[in-house]
Amino acid sequence: MNTAPQINQPQQAAFSHDLYRAMLRIRLIEEEIAARYSEQEMRCPVHLSIGQEATAVGACAALRRNDQIISSHRSHGHYLAKGGDLKAMLAEIYGRVDGCCGGRGGSMHLFDDAAGIIASIPIVGSFLPLGVGAAMSYSYTKQDRVCIAFLGDGASEEGVFHESANFAALKKLPVIFFLENNQYSCYTGLSDRQPDRPLTDLARSYAMASEQVDGNDVIAVYEATKRAVDRARAGHGPTLIVADTYRWREHCGPNYDNDIGYRSMAEFESWQQRCPVTTFAARLKRDGTLSDAAEKTLTVELTAEIAEAFAFAKASPFPDPSTVTDHVYA
Amino acid sequence: MNTAPQINQPQQAAFSHDLYRAMLRIRLIEEEIAARYSEQEMRCPVHLSIGQEATAVGACAALRRNDQIISSHRSHGHYLAKGGDLKAMLAEIYGRVDGCCGGRGGSMHLFDDAAGIIASIPIVGSFLPLGVGAAMSYSYTKQDRVCIAFLGDGASEEGVFHESANFAALKKLPVIFFLENNQYSCYTGLSDRQPDRPLTDLARSYAMASEQVDGNDVIAVYEATKRAVDRARAGHGPTLIVADTYRWREHCGPNYDNDIGYRSMAEFESWQQRCPVTTFAARLKRDGTLSDAAEKTLTVELTAEIAEAFAFAKASPFPDPSTVTDHVYA
Amino acid sequence: MPEQRVITAAQAICEATDIAMAADPSVIVMGEGVADPKAIFGTTANLLDKYGADRVVELPLAENGFTGIAIGAAINGLRPIIVHQRVEFCLLAMEQLVNNAAKMHYVSNGAHRVPLVVRMIVGRGWGQGPAHSQSLEVLFAHVPGLKVVMPASAQDAKGMLLAAITDDSPVVFIEHRWMHYVKGHVPTGNTPISLDGPAKLHSGDDVTVVSNSYLTLETIQAVEALSAAGVQVDHFDLRVIRPLNVTAIVESVRRTGRLVTVDTGFTTYGVGAEIVSRVMEQCCLQMKAAPRRIGLPEHPTPSSRSLAATFYARSPDIAATIAETVGLDAGRVAALREQLTAGRESVPLDIPHPSFQGPF
Amino acid sequence: MPEQRVITAAQAICEATDIAMAADPSVIVMGEGVADPKAIFGTTANLLDKYGADRVVELPLAENGFTGIAIGAAINGLRPIIVHQRVEFCLLAMEQLVNNAAKMHYVSNGAHRVPLVVRMIVGRGWGQGPAHSQSLEVLFAHVPGLKVVMPASAQDAKGMLLAAITDDSPVVFIEHRWMHYVKGHVPTGNTPISLDGPAKLHSGDDVTVVSNSYLTLETIQAVEALSAAGVQVDHFDLRVIRPLNVTAIVESVRRTGRLVTVDTGFTTYGVGAEIVSRVMEQCCLQMKAAPRRIGLPEHPTPSSRSLAATFYARSPDIAATIAETVGLDAGRVAALREQLTAGRESVPLDIPHPSFQGPF
Ligand SMILES: Cc1ncc(C[n+]2csc(CCOP(=O)(O)OP(=O)(O)O)c2C)c(N)n1
Ligand SMILES: Cc1ncc(C[n+]2csc(CCOP(=O)(O)OP(=O)(O)O)c2C)c(N)n1
Ligand SMILES: [Mg+2]
Ligand SMILES: [Mg+2]
């Protein structure tokens, strides 16, 4: 796997290390959420992205801070990869006043304006035109920015995807439709929902650029996204990126659900062996970019950060009930 | 232009004559509507299909009586081509009790169950899933039937087209998406609404069969539709047919509107020279299939039928106001 | 004996569907999740195994499209039951429901029928927040041509669903998420319950109370406490919000001169507004007290339990409002509140009962 | 002098848009037909030439998508005005409006704003029938977070649109198709009219009448005839149906003891139901007569003029209902009906005025 052209070796090592750190951080944070969920203090639905860290991290690595993303119900990874505030995210999931929504949204409504995370919207597909509208605002105001709209394979079935893609292609807007194909919509496989053909064919309806990529290979994801971002900045319009990956835990909630019968243990294990985090760690070690010691320090450092963030969230007060009527109208 | 394989010469002559008769009939009926519209007795919006007769006639010629169609606001041609009752259509446009809807729908809601015309629905795209649902009912009840859903180029932009096409392709339903590309949605050209690529690419999203055809060549339309119908009956699923044609009159109403500035007189005239009715008549005369005498008789005969139908419609009483509350619930 | 068996409303819905599918091969079930292992909170459990994928049709994510597909199939004689796991998803299908399903029979002058059941889940809980826990029944109830029902008990869930499936008009069947857990004595067999209007749950001459869906259960608690306190309530479970039959309610208010409505949606432009108006048009001059409405306040559903705490009316609030309407003094109102609140502290406000595991 | 110039509401809407676009480069207009020669019944005439295709954006047919696109652009600081030529088309965008536009500011705890104007046309005429002439304002008015306004005059059409465009909340701006033809003295310049509540059009102590949109014009006729007949009406044009401000209306009914509502939509679960309920909650025991509601009956809009004739209330019907409420005897009610009907025979019922050419 060759690296992004404009990066030389030492930079590349640092870059790879950052990618690894970002993926490991998301993994550890979501595993901590899963571990603590049964305490029933996080009283809102959570859709974990464990197993899908490379798509979020690789894609966001191709963006600048002032670029934007928009996401859906499964947004933790995207939020963190784009630089969303961890404490505000956890406080939100805990329903506390320091949450990014002040506790009003929960896990399914994460956003962070400073980091360029417009919103997370739990109605499947509903966020896609908002991402296109964000891109329209850049063109209109002549800002050199790009927006990535992360969608799942299921979201590509919603009519609004078609309407959003047609408009983005027509106006050559700087938006990237990043499709994380984790093969399932809830407990229904792709082949039960769409005819058999590459998902990249969805782009052909609109003469839109598209690219298929291994969603568990963070470098491949980064490079594909970088090409799409360059096209967008150059005024060549939108790209559909299809990244194959896999959700490890249940659709909604902290547990594993390979026992309920919608997917096979063999399938699950084959994907687990292609874990985006550990496979990348192994590669970095082969390259000599990552030492066991460095990895241990990293884990210790991240674990401390995460523990502190959870402590912060749980210490944060609940929002004052008397504020519940605020902000209905601007 | 070679003829449909399974038809021998004499049959072919009769067949061609029928196609011509059907196109001429639609033309004369709609011209009569246009001529009488200013009397303000037809008090509902009318969307004339003058100039588009070959698509309706060629497509419906490939269907059996028990096959079905569904259409939209511009349905007169489809309704007549599929064998819809002329008197019931005109009485409906006149708002009379003998109208197919008893006067409740007007020009935009034509249907005729006996002729397999499910409905006409004036919300763009809204009729598409109904056509797919009709096809689903054939498969479910193992009936050897096919449904054609006629849509315009504008309707292909609606999300529901995408949702309908994906489901039809997934389930291999016997439905044909017949896209009449008359180049405009109201007064907005295709290039202002969709990126530049063949409309048949819309089918690629769903691995759906597709075919591009000259929408002003009734034989070509018939043959393309026949191939699609054969695929559907054979269980090979849906087809997208894209037929290029042109609306002569204003989007809604009886007049010409080449003066208001959304299309050029040159464009209009180039299409008028390719009139589906007169060009086919000329071809039949070259073939010796149609004589001037036969054409005259035909015109006389049709004119009489039409005059009688208008007389019937205008003589038909208005629905009794006391019935207005009937049939809200079944 | 079978009549005494107790099942949940979720089981009752599944049983009704099973019975209808066994009785009529034209009945099919379509929806996102109807054939998956979770089976729409268990309401379509085992139907796939029993009837196969042609009749229990798992769908792509396309609410507007599949609603139209079901309408087309219904016009051609099938009897589809489509399911939306949240009313919010059905907002994508409003055009199909309002323009096609509701009007097809009327526009075709009676020629076409749309025997469609649109099941959708409304409700609350577990911090689902702004876009996953609304109760938007009025959006459907405003539209002539649709029937809109909201069962509150396991018995009604079964019987009214059976009636909805055999109805030749489109029926929007609204299930409150917490109603799924409600248990009841549900008769076995094909026992439809007609969709003709409200049910009288308690008789009294002091005040007329009209509640619907899950809040009928909270109201029953309030009515019992009031009864013990000497206030006798004429309590109706509305059940059918379109077509709306207020005959019995009007007759009742003529007697009581007092009206309180309790519904699961927003108060403003809500179900209660229509009940109050219909009653006032006929009983205005016989009223002994002003009518009161209980519903949701003027803001979206917050996720955090501290904010959601005041969002939903519960039996203490309902009892207090009724008590005020009949003129109980502040002391007795407070006492009722206290008494009804007492039982509840142990259960968090964002779950229906302790055995709840979450998430929904 | 300019204040005395007379223009139509359609021209007023166009002028307001022009003024707002000139004043603020973040204002853009998007819709199907906004840049075509018909320019949405003339309401966007010449804007394309003046502001170019970047600011007057002609759109593909994708109501749900473009509504979401406008919301996304609004979050990032643009002020889009989107246009739906018929409310029926906007039904495709309900999910975007109800879940995203209405709630974005609330869910983000005030961080995000959606300064969006959603223009849509409701109304009637020319046999457009079931799917092209509905008035579904309640579907939007039920949703906290949206503002919903319905101007009835050329002055309000301009002033309220100017206010809507500068409002930081999403505003659903509902134009009755026949209101477009209404002429009035419209001041020039940037003259917003605040969206704060109803306007008193006529003062009286006998009965309170609340009308909205086009029916306010029919009601004005009725009120004048009643005034001549000695019945003095306190007449309010509702103007803003969400957030609903009934203070002045309640104060009025306290005085008159009588209430009649007149609105353009279905009566059942309609605008009038909320007005009646709000008033009854406060004035129930002061009423001298039962409240009455005028709205559309319980069936879809038929196309044929013989069927549509009875569908819409006109000034004679409105006057008769008001007269009955104040207790005029049958003879005088009939006389009022006759007098108001007299003027109208010459004009067909399916067009707003003789100069009409059709089709819409
Ligand atoms: C419009 C809509 N329909 C259905 C749902 C229920 N739902 C929530 S997540 C989900 C699956 C989405 O699948 P996909 O887009 O592939 O994302 P993934 O969960 O796999 O990350 C569904 C059906 C919803 N939230 N919105
Ligand atoms: C959902 C919806 N949006 C907009 C309209 C208004 N409208 C009526 S016909 C039409 C043009 C449709 O264009 P096309 O599908 O190409 O059909 P054509 O009129 O060219 O035959 C439009 C925009 C509508 N009826 N429904
Ligand atoms: Mg998925
Ligand atoms: Mg067209």
Side-chain angles (χ1 to χ4, degrees):
Chain A
M1 170 58 60
N2 70 334
T3 61
Q6 84 294 0
I7 302 182
N8 62 37
Q9 272 318 320
Q11 279 178 327
Q12 174 52 25
F15 181 69
S16 297
H17 187 274
D18 291 347
L19 294 178
Y20 177 62
R21 183 184 195 285
M23 288 197 291
L24 182 61
R25 182 167 175 265
I26 293 170
R27 172 69 56 93
L28 295 175
I29 289 164
E30 290 210 298
E31 281 179 342
E32 191 63 19
I33 291 172
R36 300 191 189 216
Y37 197 71
S38 60
E39 296 167 2
Q40 303 211 353
E41 282 302 307
M42 291 177 263
R43 300 180 79 86
C44 64
V46 292
H47 302 79
L48 303 180
S49 60
I50 293 172
Q52 306 185 192
E53 295 85 355
T55 45
V57 170
C60 291
L63 295 180
R64 302 173 185 156
R65 176 91 176 163
N66 77 332
D67 292 327
Q68 292 182 303
I69 67 166
I70 191 160
S71 182
S72 65
H73 56 288
R74 199 174 307 282
S75 63
H76 298 176
H78 309 138
Y79 174 96
L80 293 167
K82 185 62 171 69
D85 184 88
L86 173 60
K87 289 176 173 172
M89 165 180 153
L90 293 177
E92 187 59 36
I93 298 175
Y94 275 91
R96 307 307 171 99
V97 72
D98 294 305
C100 53
C101 306
R104 293 173 168 215
S107 160
M108 301 196 288
H109 289 275
L110 302 181
F111 77 100
D112 185 329
D113 287 329
I117 301 149
I118 300 171
S120 304
I121 289 173
I123 304 296
V124 171
S126 182
F127 47 88
L128 291 168
L130 273 63
V132 173
M136 183 181 169
S137 76
Y138 316 146
S139 311
Y140 184 76
T141 54
K142 313 253 179 310
Q143 300 175 54
D144 174 20
R145 300 169 74 182
V146 174
C147 181
I148 292 181
F150 286 99
L151 65 146
D153 47 306
S156 69
E157 292 150 18
E158 293 284 353
V160 73
F161 167 76
H162 171 75
E163 298 182 349
S164 303
N166 179 64
F167 187 79
L170 173 69
K171 301 293 187 182
K172 296 204 174 306
L173 296 176
V175 60
I176 294 163
F177 299 97
F178 193 104
L179 195 163
E180 288 174 283
N181 175 21
N182 64 6
Q183 326 291 324
Y184 291 90
S185 167
C186 298
Y187 317 96
T188 304
L190 190 57
S191 62
D192 292 328
R193 298 170 1 241
Q194 299 189 30
D196 180 22
R197 77 332 184 187
L199 280 166
T200 45
D201 282 1
L202 286 168
R204 297 179 160 211
S205 280
Y206 323 102
M208 189 189 295
S210 70
E211 207 168 326
Q212 171 76 49
V213 63
D214 175 353
N216 281 14
D217 179 338
V218 67
I219 295 290
V221 170
Y222 163 76
E223 291 177 338
T225 311
K226 186 73 173 61
R227 286 186 288 271
V229 168
D230 292 343
R231 271 193 298 275
R233 293 201 200 281
H236 300 141
T239 301
L240 172 67
I241 295 176
V242 176
D244 292 350
T245 182
Y246 202 73
R247 157 178 59 81
W248 287 13
R249 305 276 178 135
E250 60 191 332
H251 163 67
C252 180
N255 306 312
Y256 290 94
D257 65 358
N258 302 307
D259 54 316
I260 67 173
Y262 72 102
R263 61 187 197 183
S264 73
M265 203 59 202
E267 177 184 280
F268 171 75
E269 281 163 353
S270 76
W271 279 96
Q272 225 179 3
Q273 274 146 33
R274 303 182 35 224
C275 170
V277 183
T278 54
T279 54
F280 193 58
R283 186 198 299 178
L284 294 188
K285 289 181 182 176
R286 275 200 309 280
D287 304 350
T289 316
L290 180 72
S291 69
D292 292 353
E295 187 181 20
K296 178 165 262 80
T297 341
L298 184 57
T299 312
V300 170
E301 171 194 318
L302 290 173
T303 312
E305 180 205 4
I306 294 165
E308 193 211 331
F310 270 89
F312 170 87
K314 296 185 78 162
S316 172
F318 281 103
D320 174 349
S322 73
T323 63
V324 72
T325 56
D326 297 350
H327 307 307
V328 176
Y329 293 101
Chain B
M1 170 58 60
N2 71 332
T3 60
Q6 82 293 2
I7 302 183
N8 62 37
Q9 272 320 321
Q11 280 179 327
Q12 173 53 27
F15 180 70
S16 298
H17 187 272
D18 291 348
L19 294 179
Y20 176 62
R21 183 183 194 287
M23 287 197 292
L24 181 62
R25 183 167 174 264
I26 293 169
R27 172 68 57 92
L28 295 175
I29 290 164
E30 290 209 296
E31 281 179 343
E32 190 62 21
I33 291 172
R36 299 193 191 215
Y37 196 72
S38 59
E39 295 168 4
Q40 303 212 353
E41 282 302 306
M42 291 177 264
R43 302 180 78 85
C44 64
V46 292
H47 301 79
L48 302 180
S49 60
I50 293 172
Q52 306 185 193
E53 295 84 356
T55 46
V57 169
C60 291
L63 296 180
R64 301 172 186 157
R65 177 91 175 164
N66 77 332
D67 291 327
Q68 292 183 304
I69 67 167
I70 192 161
S71 181
S72 65
H73 57 287
R74 200 174 307 284
S75 63
H76 297 175
H78 308 138
Y79 174 97
L80 293 166
K82 185 61 171 69
D85 183 89
L86 173 61
K87 289 176 174 172
M89 165 180 153
L90 293 177
E92 187 59 36
I93 298 175
Y94 275 91
R96 308 306 170 100
V97 71
D98 294 305
C100 54
C101 305
R104 292 172 168 216
S107 160
M108 300 194 291
H109 289 275
L110 302 181
F111 78 99
D112 185 330
D113 287 329
I117 301 149
I118 299 171
S120 305
I121 289 172
I123 304 296
V124 171
S126 182
F127 48 89
L128 291 168
L130 273 64
V132 173
M136 183 181 169
S137 76
Y138 316 146
S139 314
Y140 184 76
T141 53
K142 314 248 179 314
Q143 300 175 54
D144 174 21
R145 299 169 77 183
V146 174
C147 181
I148 293 180
F150 287 99
L151 64 145
D153 47 305
S156 69
E157 292 150 19
E158 293 284 353
V160 73
F161 167 77
H162 171 76
E163 298 181 351
S164 303
N166 179 63
F167 187 79
L170 174 69
K171 301 293 185 182
K172 295 202 176 305
L173 296 177
V175 60
I176 294 162
F177 298 96
F178 193 103
L179 195 162
E180 287 174 283
N181 176 20
N182 64 6
Q183 326 291 325
Y184 291 90
S185 167
C186 298
Y187 318 96
T188 304
L190 189 57
S191 62
D192 292 329
R193 298 168 3 238
Q194 299 190 30
D196 181 22
R197 56 28 178 147
L199 280 166
T200 46
D201 282 2
L202 286 167
R204 296 180 160 210
S205 279
Y206 323 103
M208 189 189 296
S210 70
E211 207 168 326
Q212 171 76 50
V213 63
D214 175 353
N216 281 13
D217 179 339
V218 67
I219 296 291
V221 170
Y222 163 76
E223 292 176 339
T225 311
K226 185 72 173 60
R227 287 187 286 271
V229 168
D230 292 344
R231 272 193 297 275
R233 292 200 200 283
H236 299 141
T239 301
L240 172 68
I241 296 175
V242 177
D244 291 350
T245 182
Y246 202 74
R247 159 177 58 80
W248 287 12
R249 305 275 178 136
E250 60 191 332
H251 163 68
C252 180
N255 306 312
Y256 290 95
D257 64 358
N258 302 307
D259 55 316
I260 67 175
Y262 72 103
R263 62 188 196 183
S264 73
M265 203 60 202
E267 177 185 278
F268 171 75
E269 281 162 354
S270 75
W271 280 96
Q272 227 180 2
Q273 275 145 32
R274 303 183 35 225
C275 171
V277 184
T278 53
T279 53
F280 192 58
R283 185 198 301 178
L284 294 189
K285 289 181 183 175
R286 276 199 310 280
D287 304 351
T289 316
L290 181 72
S291 69
D292 292 353
E295 187 180 21
K296 180 164 262 81
T297 343
L298 185 56
T299 312
V300 171
E301 172 194 317
L302 290 173
T303 312
E305 180 204 3
I306 294 164
E308 193 211 329
F310 271 89
F312 170 86
K314 297 185 77 163
S316 172
F318 281 103
D320 173 351
S322 72
T323 63
V324 71
T325 56
D326 297 350
H327 306 309
V328 176
Y329 293 103
Chain C
M1 343 78 104
E3 294 321 41
Q4 281 316 302
R5 82 205 167 111
V6 170
I7 62 175
T8 65
Q11 291 167 318
I13 287 165
C14 191
E15 182 173 287
T17 310
D18 187 355
I19 289 167
M21 292 181 82
D24 181 350
S26 65
V27 176
I28 62 174
V29 179
M30 301 166 54
E32 298 160 9
V34 295
D36 79 20
K38 299 281 176 105
I40 316 287
F41 311 113
T43 58
T44 60
N46 306 317
L47 296 178
L48 175 66
D49 299 345
K50 193 160 173 187
Y51 298 102
D54 286 354
R55 296 189 65 187
V56 182
V57 187
E58 185 63 36
L59 295 177
L61 305 190
E63 291 74 14
N64 190 30
F66 79 63
T67 301
I69 288 167
I71 292 168
I75 292 170
N76 272 8
L78 300 193
R79 292 185 168 275
I81 303 167
I82 60 176
V83 189
H84 294 281
Q85 289 210 23
R86 297 275 186 284
V87 63
E88 285 85 355
F89 314 157
C90 187
L91 292 174
L92 289 161
M94 284 303 282
E95 192 282 311
Q96 286 293 333
L97 289 176
V98 173
N99 290 331
N100 293 340
K103 297 174 173 55
M104 191 64 63
H105 185 64
Y106 186 85
V107 181
S108 67
N109 208 16
H112 293 158
R113 291 162 190 273
V114 182
L116 170 70
V117 175
V118 184
R119 285 183 51 203
M120 64 184 71
I121 290 152
V122 300
R124 75 204 227 190
W126 201 250
Q128 303 205 48
H132 270 55
S133 53
Q134 296 172 81
S135 292
L136 301 171
E137 40 275 13
V138 165
L139 271 45
F140 309 97
H142 188 54
V143 182
L146 298 178
K147 293 187 177 183
V148 183
V149 304
M150 300 184 79
S153 70
Q155 296 87 323
D156 272 354
K158 177 180 175 180
M160 292 173 76
L161 182 54
L162 281 167
I165 295 168
T166 53
D167 198 297
D168 280 341
S169 297
V171 180
V172 175
F173 189 89
I174 301 180
E175 304 160 25
H176 192 287
R177 181 68 187 93
W178 287 11
M179 193 270 300
H180 280 165
Y181 300 99
V182 177
K183 295 191 179 67
H185 294 143
V186 179
T188 55
N190 195 335
T191 53
I193 297 175
S194 73
L195 312 179
D196 55 5
K200 172 87 80 91
L201 301 186
H202 186 279
S203 295
D205 294 330
D206 299 328
V207 53
T208 304
V209 174
V210 181
S211 62
N212 77 1
S213 189
Y214 180 76
L215 284 185
T216 287
L217 306 169
E218 296 272 359
T219 305
I220 287 170
Q221 258 190 33
V223 168
E224 283 163 0
L226 283 156
S227 179
V231 176
Q232 299 311 329
V233 175
D234 227 28
H235 179 200
F236 293 90
D237 176 20
L238 190 55
R239 299 171 71 254
V240 179
I241 64 176
R242 166 166 292 274
L244 185 60
N245 173 356
V246 294
T247 314
I249 295 167
V250 167
E251 177 278 322
S252 168
V253 177
R254 284 227 169 80
R255 212 161 12 83
T256 64
R258 299 186 176 90
L259 173 66
V260 175
T261 65
V262 189
D263 60 75
T264 49
F266 292 115
T267 299
T268 299
Y269 298 106
V271 170
E274 183 62 26
I275 306 290
V276 166
S277 298
R278 292 272 184 113
V279 169
M280 288 304 125
E281 283 164 343
Q282 299 183 64
C283 310
C284 184
L285 303 183
Q286 289 123 290
M287 296 304 285
K288 300 182 187 132
R292 298 277 300 269
R293 293 180 292 165
I294 294 174
L296 298 179
E298 294 281 83
H299 61 79
T301 321
S303 173
S304 174
R305 58 192 183 283
S306 77
L307 295 174
T310 58
F311 191 62
Y312 299 104
R314 300 180 180 80
S315 59
D317 317 297
I318 297 167
T321 304
I322 298 171
E324 285 161 15
T325 304
V326 296
L328 291 202
D329 60 56
R332 296 183 59 196
V333 173
L336 270 165
R337 251 193 197 291
E338 213 167 291
Q339 169 197 343
L340 283 163
T341 311
R344 302 179 73 122
E345 275 93 4
S346 63
V347 187
L349 295 176
D350 57 355
I351 62 174
H353 55 63
S355 72
F356 169 76
Q357 293 312 321
F360 284 140
Chain D
M1 350 73 110
E3 295 322 42
Q4 280 317 301
R5 84 205 166 112
V6 171
I7 62 174
T8 66
Q11 291 167 318
I13 287 164
C14 192
E15 182 173 287
T17 311
D18 187 355
I19 289 168
M21 293 182 81
D24 181 351
S26 66
V27 175
I28 63 172
V29 179
M30 301 167 53
E32 300 159 9
V34 296
D36 78 20
K38 298 282 177 106
I40 316 287
F41 311 113
T43 59
T44 60
N46 306 318
L47 297 178
L48 175 66
D49 299 345
K50 192 160 173 187
Y51 299 102
D54 285 355
R55 297 189 65 187
V56 182
V57 188
E58 185 62 37
L59 295 177
L61 305 190
E63 291 74 12
N64 190 30
F66 78 63
T67 302
I69 288 167
I71 293 168
I75 292 170
N76 272 8
L78 301 193
R79 292 185 167 275
I81 302 168
I82 61 176
V83 189
H84 294 282
Q85 288 211 23
R86 297 276 186 283
V87 63
E88 284 86 354
F89 315 157
C90 187
L91 291 174
L92 289 161
M94 285 302 282
E95 192 282 313
Q96 286 293 334
L97 289 176
V98 173
N99 290 331
N100 293 342
K103 298 174 173 53
M104 191 64 63
H105 186 64
Y106 187 85
V107 180
S108 67
N109 208 16
H112 293 159
R113 291 162 190 272
V114 183
L116 171 70
V117 175
V118 185
R119 284 183 51 201
M120 64 184 72
I121 289 152
V122 300
R124 75 204 227 190
W126 201 250
Q128 302 204 48
H132 271 54
S133 53
Q134 295 172 81
S135 293
L136 300 171
E137 41 274 14
V138 165
L139 270 45
F140 309 97
H142 188 54
V143 182
L146 298 179
K147 293 187 178 183
V148 183
V149 304
M150 299 183 80
S153 69
Q155 297 87 323
D156 272 354
K158 177 179 175 180
M160 292 173 74
L161 182 54
L162 281 168
I165 295 168
T166 53
D167 198 297
D168 280 340
S169 297
V171 180
V172 176
F173 189 88
I174 301 180
E175 304 159 26
H176 192 288
R177 180 68 186 92
W178 286 10
M179 192 270 300
H180 280 166
Y181 299 100
V182 177
K183 297 191 177 67
H185 295 143
V186 179
T188 55
N190 195 336
T191 53
I193 297 174
S194 74
L195 310 179
D196 55 5
K200 171 87 77 93
L201 301 187
H202 186 279
S203 295
D205 293 331
D206 298 328
V207 53
T208 303
V209 174
V210 181
S211 62
N212 77 1
S213 189
Y214 180 74
L215 283 185
T216 286
L217 306 170
E218 296 272 358
T219 305
I220 287 170
Q221 259 189 32
V223 168
E224 283 163 0
L226 283 157
S227 181
V231 176
Q232 299 312 329
V233 175
D234 228 28
H235 179 200
F236 293 90
D237 175 20
L238 190 54
R239 299 172 70 256
V240 180
I241 64 176
R242 166 167 291 274
L244 185 61
N245 173 357
V246 294
T247 313
I249 295 167
V250 166
E251 178 278 322
S252 169
V253 178
R254 283 227 168 80
R255 215 163 8 84
T256 65
R258 299 187 176 88
L259 173 66
V260 175
T261 65
V262 188
D263 61 75
T264 50
F266 292 115
T267 300
T268 300
Y269 299 106
V271 169
E274 184 61 26
I275 306 291
V276 166
S277 299
R278 292 273 182 111
V279 169
M280 289 304 126
E281 283 165 342
Q282 299 184 64
C283 309
C284 183
L285 301 183
Q286 289 121 288
M287 296 303 285
K288 300 183 187 131
R292 298 278 299 270
R293 293 180 291 164
I294 294 173
L296 298 179
E298 292 282 83
H299 60 81
T301 321
S303 174
S304 174
R305 58 193 183 281
S306 77
L307 295 174
T310 59
F311 191 62
Y312 299 103
R314 300 181 179 79
S315 60
D317 317 298
I318 297 167
T321 304
I322 298 171
E324 285 161 15
T325 304
V326 295
L328 290 202
D329 60 55
R332 295 183 61 196
V333 173
L336 271 165
R337 248 191 202 292
E338 214 166 293
Q339 167 198 346
L340 283 162
T341 310
R344 301 179 74 121
E345 273 92 4
S346 63
V347 187
L349 296 175
D350 57 356
I351 61 174
H353 55 63
S355 72
F356 169 76
Q357 293 311 324
F360 286 140

